[in-house]
Amino acid sequence: MDPRDEKGKMWYNGKFIDWWDAKIHVMSHALHYGTSFFEGIRCYETPKGAAIFRLQDHTKRFINSAKIYRTEIPFSEEEINNACIEVIKENNLKSAYIRPLAFRGYHSLGVDPTKCPVEVIVAVLNWGKYLGEEALSQGVDVRISSWNRMRANTMPTLAKAGGTYMNSQLIKMEAMADNYSEGISIDANGFVCEGSGENIFVIRDGVLHTPPQYGASILPGLTRDSVIHICNDLDLEVKETLIPRELLYIADEIFFTGTAAELTPIRSIDHMTIGAGKRGPITEKIQKRFFEIIDSKVKDKHNWLTFVY
Ligand code: PPE
């Protein structure tokens, strides 16, 4: 994705403006202190037209991320949902990555954000495969990060807040500097957490394991939640449990989940081959069902799709 290619309209505080007119002042609070909340949502091209995946759940998480930081987004849940739909229509898109963002704008310097206005945008862009074109079928090579995720009661991990992503950036840059696609973070207690922008599932003896939604310093991912539902539908057992680092090395299959990453298999960690060193059969089964739901090939029984047009 090259932002310079982006044209078209951006939803900005309730109005549509040109992509390049969406500007802020350099003294905006968010720039100085990381004061922002965001979402990443995919809109897929399906045989029945453009469909947004889990829109309402993303909007709820967006509003709650702000609430954790005592911030009220000055638009209702319904208005944000509609903004995501309307910005796709306005740009006449069949598919897109939708990025709602709320941030504290320009008023005064100082840590106290409360006088700075809360501004909201919804951008749409083309975002291809997060970890590379072949990642979904071939898998990726990753490392365990030397950076830990935030300890409980430091930076809240249930909030998808801009500042938190400084930690993600450390994990990602360290991995890339060593030619890995991604890093896996460990929490303050020494247990496996997540990728810099993905949750993780570990398969051993036919059972899936993933860090618990609460208490493991992870973002409660919606793709993660979707995978858990799909596993129930497919009669696959999922355990939400603390995962020691060494379980990764002896796993049969491991994959990342995320809106951007979708379901990306991991083929090696720290140069140790995972399972057969390629996408495993259970990963493939879950991945297949995930895309069948999106492609309307099987019934969307959980009501995950919102059709745009
Ligand atoms: N953990 C983190 C830290 C995270 O950022 C994401 C999403 C997830 C887990 C998976 O959550 P979900 O998308 O609800 O399944 N990361 C978003 C932003 C990535 C970025 O580089 O920006 C995303 O995937 O859209």
Side-chain angles (χ1 to χ4, degrees):
M1 176 196 60
D2 182 345
R4 286 168 302 184
D5 292 340
E6 301 300 337
K7 30 192 182 313
K9 301 285 181 190
M10 165 104 57
W11 187 95
Y12 197 121
N13 290 332
K15 295 195 181 74
F16 289 109
I17 62 169
D18 286 333
W19 176 273
W20 287 106
D21 289 338
K23 293 175 183 163
I24 60 161
H25 197 278
V26 292
M27 295 307 285
S28 294
H29 201 270
L31 269 186
H32 295 251
Y33 308 107
T35 333
S36 67
F37 315 98
F38 68 98
E39 276 303 317
I41 313 172
R42 275 196 194 266
C43 173
Y44 286 96
E45 182 176 356
T46 84
K48 293 192 203 158
I52 305 176
F53 190 69
R54 304 203 63 169
L55 171 62
Q56 295 77 9
D57 297 312
H58 278 286
T59 299
K60 283 199 173 83
R61 188 171 69 184
F62 184 48
I63 288 167
N64 282 331
S65 293
K67 185 177 181 188
I68 289 169
Y69 282 89
R70 299 174 187 269
T71 302
E72 194 178 334
I73 292 182
F75 294 92
S76 68
E77 206 173 311
E78 198 188 342
E79 285 170 320
I80 300 293
N81 284 332
N82 284 336
C84 293
I85 294 169
E86 292 304 320
V87 71
I88 304 258
K89 285 185 183 163
E90 183 73 20
N91 289 288
N92 245 317
L93 297 173
K94 292 192 179 104
S95 66
Y97 181 83
I98 311 169
R99 169 53 59 89
L101 170 81
F103 60 95
R104 290 282 187 175
Y106 175 61
H107 182 274
S108 49
L109 196 65
V111 169
D112 174 15
T114 48
K115 288 202 176 59
C116 301
V118 180
E119 312 220 36
V120 185
I121 65 114
V122 184
V124 278
L125 20 94
N126 288 315
W127 214 357
K129 300 304 172 197
Y130 192 52
L131 297 172
E133 265 311 311
E134 293 193 329
L136 267 68
S137 57
Q138 302 302 309
V140 290
D141 302 307
V142 308
R143 62 165 287 167
I144 303 290
S145 184
S146 69
W147 293 100
N148 284 356
R149 214 77 171 122
M150 292 69 64
R151 174 186 282 280
N153 211 30
T154 57
M155 298 281 285
T157 53
L158 300 191
K160 199 166 167 65
T164 317
Y165 281 79
M166 294 302 282
N167 176 265
S168 286
Q169 290 181 48
L170 291 171
I171 294 162
K172 184 77 180 182
M173 289 190 293
E174 179 189 58
M176 295 194 31
D178 286 339
N179 290 318
Y180 295 97
S181 303
E182 182 58 284
I184 296 171
S185 61
I186 300 289
D187 69 18
N189 298 317
F191 291 98
V192 172
C193 237
E194 57 181 349
S196 72
E198 311 90 352
N199 293 118
I200 192 167
F201 284 84
V202 181
I203 306 172
R204 190 153 192 249
D205 297 331
V207 178
L208 289 95
H209 304 77
T210 195
Q213 173 151 7
Y214 307 126
S217 299
I218 61 165
L219 182 79
L222 290 163
T223 320
R224 174 189 178 280
D225 182 71
S226 305
V227 163
I228 292 173
H229 278 92
I230 287 172
C231 286
N232 287 336
D233 296 345
L234 296 175
D235 279 329
L236 290 164
E237 189 184 349
V238 184
K239 286 186 180 155
E240 293 190 58
T241 174
L242 295 177
I243 296 175
R245 170 180 184 163
E246 62 273 22
L247 182 66
L248 300 180
Y249 301 128
I250 56 173
D252 301 324
E253 304 177 32
I254 304 182
F255 61 88
F256 278 137
T257 62
T259 298
E262 298 168 314
L263 260 81
T264 301
I266 295 174
R267 66 181 172 200
S268 79
I269 300 180
D270 297 336
H271 294 297
M272 297 232 256
T273 303
I274 304 305
K278 56 180 190 188
R279 177 176 59 192
I282 296 178
T283 305
E284 190 170 357
K285 202 171 161 187
I286 300 166
Q287 206 184 44
K288 184 165 165 265
R289 174 56 65 92
F290 178 78
F291 287 113
E292 279 171 350
I293 295 169
I294 286 162
D295 292 339
S296 304
K297 284 189 186 131
V298 300
K299 195 171 176 292
D300 174 24
K301 68 181 215 187
H302 304 289
N303 290 318
W304 287 337
L305 300 177
T306 300
F307 289 92
V308 173
Y309 298 100

